[in-house]
Amino acid sequence: MFDSLREKILQPIRNFGRDGKITEANLQEAMKEIRRALLEADVHFKVAKEFLDQVQKEAVGAELLKSVSPGQQFVKIVYDALVKFLGGVKEGAPLELKAAPPVPLLLVGLQGSGKTTTAAKLGLYLKKKEKKKVMLVPADPRRPAAKEQLRLLAKQAELEFYDSDLSLPLTQIMRRAREEAKSRVVDVFIVDTAGRLAIDDELMREVEEVRNALDPYATLFVADAMTGQDAVNVAQAFHSRTPLTGVILTKLDGDARGGAALSIKFLTGLPILFMGLGEGVSALEAFHADRLASRILDMGDVLSLVEKAQESISEEEAKDSFAKVSKGQFSLDDFLNQMRMMKKLGSMEGIMKMLPGGNKMVEQMKGVDTEGEMKRTEAIILSMTKKERLNHKILNGNRRLRIANGSGTNVAEVNRLIKRFEDAQRMMSSMAKMGLFKKMMKM
Ligand SMILES: Nc1nc2c(ncn2[C@@H]2O[C@H](COP(=O)(O)OP(=O)(O)OP(=O)(O)O)[C@@H](O)[C@H]2O)c(=O)[nH]1
Ligand SMILES: [Mg+2]
């Protein structure tokens, strides 16, 4: 996700790290590079300007040039700006359904943006996370295939499906759908509308007609993140004709550049509520600005990983490991434990990307046999004594040689592992300073 933005935004930050100092000149250089990174990610120029103004202001306020750890402070400043422009941090469910059932939700957006897929994903999300009974309602009068697509998706997600009579006027379809929702005692019904290539009067009239008949609890704009700034323009145009509640960004699993995500809240005031991460019906997640910002800065997304882990790892195991991290006691033992837990969670690359420094690790390990590497890492750590695992600083040349021999590897590999561990440890401690772990422990 946002691979190219990440690389470009991290470059100047990593350069700071090298000698640890920030001067007026290299700060300005970094700002220029970040500006370029934002524009290349298709962030709206107004947003880019505002973003840099904030970073500049904070950098001056923090007296960065005199600071003892300017690199880390600068990361924190950029992180805060990213969080703000992605929409800020919100507590609670992305979409609170505080209304008497059946609650109508309306999905609108351009052709191919992902409305139909998202209807099913959102239905499944509400069913799983909030134990809602959900019914899907097709309302694309011109394309019979769209109705069949939704029927199929409803079946996959095991949701109720309303077989709309599309020969009727939309107003009447909406009325009947509501009656059906009542009689089937569903909590929520989601209406999937027709898309059009561009915003035109006919599309807007149709959306307005549905809206008036349905009086939706929320009107959600489905936007393809790959379309960058265009998604923002279309959202704005929609919003001015028919008020929107929020945005669902789709196709963030692809190589979307980030422009839409970073610009949409600032320019439209609309929050991003969910993000689509694939074609399958379960590929929808709540949108968290802080987690995404963290991913962009390669600080990982440990919170999402924890959520994922909750399904496959016992609470005790996880708590124990993260509690240590938050106290700054992250040892090689914990590194190994985490690695073993991760194994239960799926592909190495996907998981690594959610860890602090993970994208860098993935890059460094391109073409490397990660499974084999993991076995060797395990062997190396297991060849250490308890004392060494708790305090890697005592690992001198002799000890490293012994460990290399004991694990059937070589000293270079042992060194590489320790370097990787130190990188992770550093990221963990700066995350702890940002209060990220406290939030996590609350979960
Ligand atoms: N990779 C990826 N593909 C997605 C995502 N969401 C939707 N798609 C794909 O995008 C294509 C269009 O999705 P639809 O749900 O049919 O889009 P739509 O807005 O209903 O399209 P129209 O009804 O023609 O306006 C399909 O091939 C989906 O599988 C996503 O989050 N990630
Ligand atoms: Mg559709």
Side-chain angles (χ1 to χ4, degrees):
M1 202 191 292
F2 302 158
D3 286 342
S4 135
L5 174 64
R6 176 180 319 102
E7 266 326 296
K8 299 220 169 76
I9 227 171
L10 279 177
Q11 202 49 53
I13 293 175
R14 282 186 184 138
N15 287 343
F16 280 156
R18 213 149 284 161
D19 61 357
K21 279 205 218 75
I22 296 184
T23 63
E24 184 61 39
N26 66 17
L27 178 63
Q28 289 323 317
E29 186 55 35
M31 298 291 280
K32 247 185 14 221
E33 281 181 46
I34 292 176
R35 177 167 189 276
R36 198 176 313 133
L38 293 173
L39 294 179
E40 277 175 23
D42 205 22
V43 171
H44 191 281
F45 74 94
K46 276 191 203 156
V47 178
K49 180 175 183 309
E50 197 73 22
F51 187 99
L52 291 163
D53 284 352
Q54 171 168 340
V55 172
Q56 175 85 35
K57 203 176 89 208
E58 293 294 320
V60 172
E63 303 200 359
L64 211 57
L65 306 187
K66 291 187 221 153
S67 156
V68 279
S69 58
Q72 276 193 15
Q73 277 200 41
F74 189 70
V75 174
K76 165 92 170 95
I77 288 170
V78 174
Y79 169 83
D80 286 343
L82 284 172
V83 173
K84 176 177 161 189
F85 283 85
L86 289 168
V89 181
K90 290 174 300 276
E91 302 289 328
L95 186 63
E96 307 247 15
L97 300 173
K98 285 189 197 142
V103 179
L105 301 179
L106 179 62
L107 298 186
V108 300
L110 289 188
Q111 202 170 75
S113 58
K115 294 175 296 299
T116 306
T117 318
T118 303
K121 287 183 190 173
L122 182 60
L124 183 60
Y125 180 95
L126 295 172
K127 178 174 122 177
K128 273 215 238 156
K129 301 262 171 176
E130 305 192 18
K131 311 276 172 267
K132 301 287 186 201
K133 185 175 175 190
V134 182
M135 181 175 90
L136 303 184
V137 178
D140 182 344
R142 270 169 306 274
R143 244 176 10 106
K147 178 165 144 184
E148 291 319 307
Q149 185 193 358
L150 191 66
R151 189 201 306 274
L152 202 73
L153 288 163
K155 202 167 161 206
Q156 277 173 23
E158 296 180 43
L159 302 169
E160 297 279 327
F161 177 76
Y162 176 61
D163 198 348
S164 310
D165 179 353
L166 294 173
S167 64
L168 294 174
L170 280 167
T171 316
Q172 214 163 326
I173 297 176
M174 290 305 112
R175 202 176 309 128
R176 290 196 179 183
R178 183 188 290 277
E179 277 160 21
E180 185 71 13
K182 272 189 196 148
S183 78
R184 290 197 211 174
V185 206
V186 305
D187 299 301
V188 183
F189 63 108
I190 302 174
V191 177
D192 173 34
T193 57
R196 201 80 95 253
L197 276 175
I199 292 199
D200 54 38
D201 268 350
E202 201 191 342
L203 170 67
M204 288 317 300
R205 257 202 311 279
E206 198 172 294
V207 169
E208 276 168 340
E209 194 184 334
V210 173
R211 224 190 98 82
N212 291 338
L214 187 66
D215 188 21
Y217 177 75
T219 305
L220 303 171
F221 181 72
V222 179
D224 178 345
M226 307 280 278
T227 61
Q229 273 188 52
D230 276 347
V232 183
N233 297 335
V234 177
Q236 229 160 1
F238 253 98
H239 195 38
S240 65
R241 283 285 292 266
T242 177
L244 301 169
T245 315
V247 178
I248 301 181
L249 268 189
T250 63
K251 308 187 194 179
L252 282 172
D253 51 312
D255 51 0
R257 286 174 293 169
L262 276 162
S263 314
I264 215 159
K265 175 74 196 288
F266 184 85
L267 294 174
T268 66
L270 294 167
I272 304 171
L273 302 176
F274 295 95
M275 54 185 184
L277 294 166
E279 301 191 46
V281 285
S282 56
L284 184 82
E285 289 179 15
F287 184 87
H288 294 287
D290 47 352
R291 300 184 190 189
L292 203 56
S294 183
R295 279 200 206 187
I296 292 174
L297 293 177
D298 202 14
M299 299 189 301
D301 181 0
V302 187
L303 288 169
S304 295
L305 199 57
V306 170
E307 279 179 357
K308 234 176 147 168
Q310 278 169 343
E311 287 152 25
S312 41
I313 292 167
S314 87
E315 202 174 321
E316 288 315 305
E317 266 180 304
K319 249 201 190 128
D320 188 49
S321 160
F322 288 112
K324 281 198 191 131
V325 171
S326 67
K327 284 190 210 127
Q329 297 171 344
F330 185 70
S331 70
L332 276 159
D333 262 340
D334 304 312
F335 192 63
L336 180 62
N337 274 338
Q338 281 194 353
M339 210 175 74
R340 286 177 173 162
M341 285 198 288
M342 299 313 166
K343 263 198 206 162
K344 299 187 193 165
L345 295 181
S347 99
M348 236 358 248
E349 187 175 323
I351 292 158
M352 255 164 29
K353 284 188 168 177
M354 294 172 98
L355 289 174
N359 281 286
K360 202 170 152 200
M361 281 199 284
V362 169
E363 205 175 290
Q364 284 166 349
M365 291 173 79
K366 270 220 173 96
V368 172
D369 155 30
T370 48
E371 293 304 317
E373 180 90 1
M374 240 164 84
K375 283 204 191 96
R376 282 194 299 278
T377 299
E378 201 165 354
I380 291 172
I381 297 178
L382 290 176
S383 296
M384 296 176 185
T385 63
K386 184 83 192 153
K387 215 167 133 194
E388 288 166 345
R389 272 179 270 159
L390 289 177
N391 180 14
H392 73 282
K393 294 234 161 65
I394 63 171
L395 290 169
N396 57 20
N398 278 338
R399 286 177 189 262
R400 290 182 193 216
L401 183 61
R402 190 206 77 234
I403 292 163
N405 289 334
S407 57
T409 59
N410 57 50
V411 174
E413 273 188 284
V414 175
N415 291 343
R416 211 163 49 231
L417 165 69
I418 292 165
K419 170 86 179 38
R420 251 187 13 236
F421 166 71
E422 283 176 339
D423 282 347
Q425 209 180 27
R426 227 183 343 267
M427 285 309 275
M428 297 273 181
S429 94
S430 64
M431 283 167 69
K433 282 196 195 107
M434 287 179 204
L436 285 174
F437 288 111
K438 269 201 210 99
K439 258 185 257 159
M440 203 160 73
M441 297 307 286
K442 266 197 286 180
M443 277 175 37

